[in-house]
Structures are given as structure tokens and as C-alpha cells.
Amino acid sequence: MVDNQHWLDRWKENRIGFHEATVNRHLEKYLAQFALPAAASVFVPLCGKARDMAWLAQQGYQVIGVELSQLAITSFFAENSLDFERSETDRFIIYESPNIRLLQGDFFDLRSEDLGACGLVYDRASLIAMESADRPRYLEHMLSIVPTLGKMLLITLEYEQTEMRGPPFSVPTDEVYQYYTDAFSIKLLERNDIVDESPRWRKVGLTALVESVFRLDG
Ligand SMILES: C[S@@+](CC[C@H](N)C(=O)[O-])C[C@H]1O[C@@H](n2cnc3c(N)ncnc32)[C@H](O)[C@@H]1O
């Protein structure tokens, strides 16, 4: 079972194969087409220590992330040579540098007021970190906290779930449409088989690994 302890253990044991050493190529490619207002805020759910957050802040955006692991958050600030201030609320420990606010705690404790008028949700390796039994709760919670007219860049993976246990979990495209279709217009930006981009996927037994990139407009 993939519970909160699973993730905390992975960070402690440095089993973080999901972490990308460089800025995500889809974020770099598609961000401009969202035409976000200057200084808009970008919400990064289940943010880990993604470099993408430092890059977004460099583009002038205000980043809000939520992450269970203190280790992930302090590593993020250290690796990006950023100082931070730390404070506590009843639900989160907050780490802040001028354009980046990371909330250490559980995504499911977030409320819409924590995100404010967030202009974009950037979901990379977040929805796919949820097992199928937990995904309805994740998707419903996301819908309950993001602003109605929000936008989202969503990156998912699909593969034959019997070939690998996950995480990452296979998220059928149908599920994305099922949950988000009432709130957003959904555009599939691209879809590629990336099984040969890393030797680890064939090694664990995958025969195909399809990455989909969606643009959602509220
Ligand atoms: C697969 S990683 C992806 C991290 C990041 N999005 C990236 O692209 O590198 C999933 C992250 O979500 C965090 N996480 C899992 N469940 C969470 C929850 N309920 N609330 C907050 N963070 C969570 C884990 O600690 C882990 O860092």
C-alpha cells in the first residue's frame, strides 16, 4: 500500500527515481501557451523537490507547493541555493523564499484559501503517484480547492498495470476525462511512448509506457 509513510521512507532512503535533474521539457514547451498574467501563482501538488519550481519562480511566477516530506523541501531550497523562512500553522509547516511557498503536510488537508487565485496547476508525477483506489479522492479534492476558472498542465503515464506495481501508477485517459470534463475543457497536447527513454522501464517488464500531456482550461 502506498501511504504517507511509503513516501517519507523513500525520501529517507533516497529512492527518488521520479526526480528530474533538469526542468521538465513539457513545462518548458507549453507554459507560454497558457498566457498567464505576470506574477500569477502556480500550484504544484505533491511537489517533491522539483527544479521546475525554481524555474517557474525565475519566470516571475509565485509558486505554491505541497509536499509531505520535510527532507524534500529542505533539499529543494539547499539545491537551488535559496534561503527560506519557516513558520507553522495548524495544518502545515511553511517554508518560504520570496517567490516560493512550500507547505509541508498532506495535500488532502489543503483548502481553497491556501491556494487563493492560483492561475495554473502543474501536475507532473502527482496524479500518477496515487493508486487507483485513492485517485477519486485526489481528483475530487483537487476540484474542490482549485479556482473555477483555473488552468492545468497535467502529465500522466499509461501502461499495462499488471506489468508493474507502481508508483508511478497507470492513469487511463478516460479517468482524466471522467473527473475533469465538467470543470475544464481538456486538450490532449501530446502522447508519446517513452518506454525506451530510460532502461529502468524495460528492466521492470514494461512493454509500453505512454506519456500524455493535457492542457485543461476552466
Ligand atoms: C512521484 S513524486 C513527484 C514529485 C514531483 N511532482 C516531481 O515531479 O518530482 C510524489 C511526491 O508526492 C509526495 N506526496 C505523496 N502523497 C502526498 C500527500 N498526500 N500530500 C503531499 N505530498 C504527498 C511524495 O512525498 C513525493 O515527493
Side-chain angles (χ1 to χ4, degrees):
M1 185 183 140
V2 179
D3 56 10
N4 288 359
Q5 194 58 45
H6 165 95
W7 292 107
L8 296 175
D9 291 345
R10 282 181 78 135
W11 278 102
K12 213 159 61 186
E13 294 155 16
N14 203 30
R15 289 188 292 118
I16 54 166
F18 52 79
H19 178 68
E20 293 185 306
T22 53
V23 176
N24 183 270
R25 61 177 185 231
H26 303 302
L27 179 65
E28 268 187 317
K29 180 172 170 186
Y30 292 115
L31 183 67
Q33 70 160 251
F34 285 91
L36 297 178
S41 69
V42 178
F43 171 45
V44 186
L46 283 59
C47 61
K49 59 171 186 174
R51 300 195 77 88
D52 307 335
M53 299 190 285
W55 183 78
L56 283 162
Q58 281 157 12
Q59 313 303 303
Y61 299 111
Q62 302 285 330
V63 174
I64 307 174
V66 67
E67 167 58 51
L68 284 173
S69 163
Q70 179 194 3
L71 193 54
I73 293 180
T74 51
S75 302
F76 169 78
F77 285 107
E79 288 171 15
N80 291 285
S81 308
L82 295 168
D83 292 329
F84 61 84
E85 288 194 359
R86 182 184 181 282
S87 57
E88 289 187 28
T89 68
D90 54 335
R91 288 172 292 129
F92 296 102
I93 302 175
I94 301 174
Y95 298 77
E96 271 180 297
S97 70
N99 291 341
I100 303 176
R101 181 178 166 85
L102 302 188
L103 310 180
Q104 185 203 334
D106 196 322
F107 167 79
F108 294 103
D109 288 332
L110 268 180
R111 299 177 188 156
S112 56
E113 61 262 30
D114 297 319
L115 300 185
C118 119
L120 180 73
V121 178
Y122 169 52
D123 185 323
R124 184 258 161 194
S126 313
L127 175 60
I128 61 167
M130 295 280 148
E131 282 180 278
S132 69
D134 297 328
R135 280 202 299 274
R137 184 168 167 239
Y138 175 92
L139 291 157
E140 276 158 22
H141 191 65
M142 183 69 84
L143 283 170
S144 75
I145 58 174
V146 297
T148 349
L149 293 175
K151 298 168 192 287
M152 190 183 303
L153 178 63
L154 169 64
I155 304 170
T156 62
L157 292 174
E158 258 177 291
Y159 61 89
E160 179 48 56
Q161 190 68 84
T162 53
E163 292 179 350
M164 181 173 82
R165 274 187 64 195
F169 296 101
S170 177
V171 175
T173 302
D174 286 357
E175 232 175 88
V176 172
Y177 282 90
Q178 181 192 335
Y179 279 92
Y180 284 151
T181 212
D182 287 346
F184 300 100
S185 73
I186 304 173
K187 184 173 173 198
L188 182 61
L189 296 171
E190 58 182 273
R191 193 170 159 80
N192 305 300
D193 189 345
I194 59 163
V195 74
D196 289 317
E197 283 192 6
S198 160
R200 75 179 151 132
W201 301 126
R202 293 270 187 207
K203 220 159 108 192
V204 295
L206 292 193
T207 49
L209 178 65
V210 175
E211 183 183 61
S212 297
V213 184
F214 298 93
R215 174 188 166 145
L216 278 65
D217 287 89

